[in-house]
């Protein structure tokens, strides 16, 4: 028998490790039928998890918020994620943990009766921006699609309610932009598909306070900015302020700090990634070697 090919990634499905191409979930899992699930994504860089504790803490809070029980302790989740990465051998990886509602007994619509399920996978590191976009900056459109209100779906608990983000992204791509940021009912920008948004105005770093996921990369940016002596303003960010900012960038586990050089077709600053943004990009990657923030993986 030939051994399985784990090189493209590994999933853990109902306690079994399988090559990513073979991973599947039952069609009747409400995670699929109702988007009734939560998840988190942690990255591995240079063979070490980055800010694993923060991602686990957020995952457990998201589970609590949606009344989901992964059925595993934090240590057991770490073991599962580590095993996915170890089997894959990947030194740079995008690692996702998921808890779904599962399925109530057939015929029942009572979510309390469902047996929740835990899934995980590790695949090669996923970049939200390609090399050219990272070097030259992304072109971002501000959508008129409103992000689902926080009172309906709490954006601080990670979820797959992405139709608004996906419709916004399709509109932006059709219009020739690279990505999109959505607004709230007051016209403040909130977040985009998989990232938080920042701008720099008169030397201060500004990011929305509400209506979005509190990204772990967003937290890293705030901490980096403070450690570099920059002023940080966490507050409502009207779309007009983003358009007229000195610098704009995104934060995400899918690439860290990503420069934006065009918003709604108009160049930001001189149309090149800004100096403070570049400093934050450098610091983001430098922080990956801080032992307080990373956890090396034993691949043996
Ligand atoms: N906002 C949304 C809607 C997201 O899905 C994500 C990441 O998946 C983010 C923001 C950024 O969060 P993080 O920095 O933890 O990757």
């Amino acid at each position: 028998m030939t051994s399985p090919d784990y090189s493209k990634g590994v999933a853990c499905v109902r306690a079994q490790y399988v090559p990513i191409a073979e991973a599947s979930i039952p069609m009747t899992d409400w995670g699929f039928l109702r988007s009734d699930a939560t998840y988190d994504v942690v990255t591995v860089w240079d063979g070490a998890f980055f800010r694993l504790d923060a991602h686990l803490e957020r995952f457990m809070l998201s589970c609590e918020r949606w009344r989901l029980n992964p059925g595993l302790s934090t240590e057991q989740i770490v073991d599962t994620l580590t095993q996915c990465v170890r089997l894959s051998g990947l030194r740079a990886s995008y690692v996702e943990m998921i808890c779904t509602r599962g399925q109530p007994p057939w015929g029942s619509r009572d979510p309390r009766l469902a047996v929740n399920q835990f899934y995980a996978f590790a695949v090669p590191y996923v970049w939200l921006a390609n090399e050219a976009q990272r070097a030259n900056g992304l072109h971002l459109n501000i959508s008129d699609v409103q992000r689902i209100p926080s009172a309906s779906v709490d954006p601080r608990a990670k979820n797959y309610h992405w139709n608004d983000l996906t419709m916004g992204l399709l509109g932006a791509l059709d219009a020739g932009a690279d990505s999109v940021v959505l607004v709230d009912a007051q016209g403040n920008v909130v977040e985009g598909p998989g990232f938080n948004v920042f701008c720099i105005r008169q030397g201060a770093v500004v990011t929305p306070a509400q209506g979005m996921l509190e990204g772990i990369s967003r937290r890293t940016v705030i901490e980096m900015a403070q450690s570099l002596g920059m002023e940080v303003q966490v507050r409502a960010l009207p779309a007009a302020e983003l358009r007229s900012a000195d610098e704009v960038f995104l934060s995400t586990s899918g690439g860290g700090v990503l420069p934006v050089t065009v918003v709604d077709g108009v160049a930001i600053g001189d149309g090149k990634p800004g100096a403070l943004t570049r400093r934050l990009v450098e610091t983001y990657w430098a922080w990956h070697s801080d032992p307080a923030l990373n956890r090396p993986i034993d691949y043996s």
Side-chain angles (χ1 to χ4, degrees):
M1 217 177 86
T2 53
S3 53
D5 178 10
Y6 289 136
S7 64
K8 299 201 170 50
V10 173
C12 180
V13 180
R14 304 198 175 194
Q16 300 283 332
Y17 294 93
V18 293
I20 191 68
E22 290 168 27
S24 62
I25 59 160
M27 195 179 267
T28 52
D29 188 321
W30 279 19
F32 176 64
L33 293 180
R34 305 264 197 284
S35 297
D36 190 349
T38 191
Y39 73 109
D40 217 292
V41 173
V42 59
T43 55
V44 168
W45 193 255
D46 250 345
F49 285 112
F50 186 57
R51 306 206 87 160
L52 178 60
D53 294 342
H55 287 278
L56 289 168
E57 186 191 16
R58 184 174 66 182
F59 180 63
M60 290 308 201
L61 285 171
S62 299
C63 286
E64 235 172 78
R65 179 72 182 83
W66 304 128
R67 295 176 62 179
L68 291 163
N69 178 1
L72 299 176
S73 66
T74 310
E75 292 72 37
Q76 288 171 315
I77 292 175
V78 173
D79 288 347
T80 306
L81 303 180
T82 304
Q83 185 62 2
C84 287
V85 179
R86 187 185 288 138
L87 283 172
S88 74
L90 291 164
R91 310 274 313 170
S93 179
Y94 177 101
V95 184
E96 185 152 341
M97 61 203 99
I98 305 164
C99 184
T100 66
R101 185 71 58 197
Q103 186 196 321
W106 199 245
S108 166
R109 293 193 150 229
D110 185 341
R112 294 169 304 179
L113 303 180
V115 180
N116 303 162
Q117 300 292 333
F118 179 79
Y119 303 94
F121 64 83
V123 291
Y125 191 90
V126 173
W127 292 94
L128 241 89
N130 62 34
E131 228 176 306
Q133 290 167 336
R134 298 201 297 275
N136 305 320
L138 289 150
H139 294 203
L140 187 73
N141 275 7
I142 302 175
S143 182
D144 46 19
V145 175
Q146 270 176 33
R147 185 76 172 112
I148 193 167
S150 302
S152 305
V153 176
D154 183 351
R156 292 168 307 169
K158 245 167 125 60
N159 61 75
Y160 291 127
H161 295 271
W162 267 52
N163 297 46
D164 50 358
L165 294 167
T166 302
M167 288 301 116
L169 178 59
L170 284 170
L173 294 172
D174 288 348
D178 299 316
S179 197
V180 73
V181 66
L182 268 54
V183 291
D184 64 14
Q186 288 71 45
N188 298 308
V189 297
V190 283
E191 63 183 340
F195 55 80
N196 291 108
V197 63
F198 285 80
C199 68
I200 293 178
R201 295 179 62 86
Q202 291 155 358
V205 179
V206 187
T207 196
Q210 279 177 359
M212 71 307 134
L213 178 77
E214 292 173 357
I216 304 299
S217 322
R218 171 180 177 272
R219 188 190 302 179
T220 303
V221 168
I222 292 170
E223 291 172 3
M224 291 190 301
Q226 286 165 340
S227 83
L228 293 169
M230 301 176 190
E231 183 194 341
V232 177
Q233 297 173 8
V234 179
R235 60 164 172 86
L237 178 55
E241 280 198 39
L242 191 72
R243 287 191 198 97
S244 62
D246 302 322
E247 300 183 26
V248 174
F249 61 89
L250 314 177
S251 72
T252 170
S253 296
V257 178
L258 301 173
V260 170
T261 45
V262 173
V263 173
D264 283 346
V266 178
I268 296 295
D270 63 3
K272 299 199 181 95
L276 295 179
T277 303
R278 282 188 279 118
R279 201 148 168 227
L280 289 166
V281 172
E282 265 170 40
T283 311
Y284 179 79
W285 293 107
W287 277 27
H288 279 65
S289 44
D290 180 347
L293 298 179
N294 75 30
R295 185 192 300 214
I297 291 166
D298 177 4
Y299 286 85
S300 58

